[in-house]
Amino acid sequence: MSQNPFQIIRPSDQPPENLKKEVIGNVKRIMLLMRFMQLFMSDFGMAFFENIRLVGRNDNSVHDPKP
Amino acid sequence: MLFKKKAKADSLLSDEELVAELQHSMDADRFGLLYDRYVTKVYQKCIGMTRDKELAHDLTHDIFLKVFVNLSKFDHRSKFGTWVYSITYNYCLDHLRKAQRQRSTQVDDESMTEDIAEDTYESELLNLRSEHIDEVLAAMDPTDRTMLLMKYQEEHSVKEISELLNIGESAVKMRVLRARERALAKYYELYPEER
């Protein structure tokens, strides 16, 4: 009974030891980048809405109904 | 001490529980645990598909970064391992196809008839000499090679391959059938004395 030849040639190589360092190092960089992005985006959004609110504030006198 | 306790507790979590934790808050050490659980299989699949250890190293690196970046998209409907292997196969295939830059052998599989004899050429293929199979696979188109490895090395069912590659089951059957035919043709081309 012959064995499946594809099983016989199955790779048994182990991943290089330095690969984990590379991957986790880059994962940390990506996390840092994502945090910067979040920070920037949230600041950007706040700044954007703050400006709109300021414009609104300036208009307060105009919208203030007087009897 | 506290760190060691946390690491031990994390190592007891299932893959899906770890992923749920990571989806809640990103943590490189926790991701390291998932890496440890899957790296050997992913790396060996990459070697099988590329026949090149250096390339397999680079692809494994990229696949794990892709897994990390896309963790939030994992919806827990399949096993985490299935999701990782799906990324692995598709990423390697994309890379190999781009590198090959030849689309002439691509045929519209879906237009073919669905009724395929499952065992056509199968027993003949499985009786080939293992010392020659490696060379035959190396000389084959990446898609054909992947289909044969998934079916006969990883022993995935047609349904599983269909889920992993996001293609229909009839397309899987057709691709496997064609890959078998081409593998045999290549085998006898390389080793005519075996005919």
Side-chain angles (χ1 to χ4, degrees), chain B residues 118-131:
Chain B
E118 264 295 296
D119 60 346
T120 312
Y121 304 117
E122 189 168 80
S123 56
E124 194 178 353
L125 184 76
L126 294 178
N127 279 312
L128 298 181
R129 294 172 65 163
S130 59
E131 59 267 35

Side-chain angles (χ1 to χ4, degrees), chain A residues 2 4-16 19-20 22-24 26-28 30-31 35, chain B residues 26 28 32 35-36 43-44 47 53 57 60-61 64-65 68 126-128 130 133-134 137 152-153 155:
Chain A
S2 62
N4 175 351
F6 290 90
Q7 292 297 338
I8 297 171
I9 61 157
R10 178 187 280 274
S12 55
D13 307 70
Q14 290 302 305
L19 183 56
K20 185 173 182 180
E22 284 175 36
V23 170
I24 300 300
N26 281 323
V27 160
K28 284 179 179 169
I30 290 172
M31 279 169 63
R35 286 197 181 134
Chain B
M26 289 296 186
Y35 171 92
D36 289 338
Y43 180 67
Q44 288 174 352
I47 287 188
K53 286 185 188 176
H57 174 281
T60 305
H61 170 272
F64 275 98
L65 290 192
F68 180 75
L126 294 178
N127 279 312
L128 298 181
S130 59
I133 282 277
D134 223 16
L137 286 174
Y152 300 110
Q153 194 167 77
E155 298 184 325

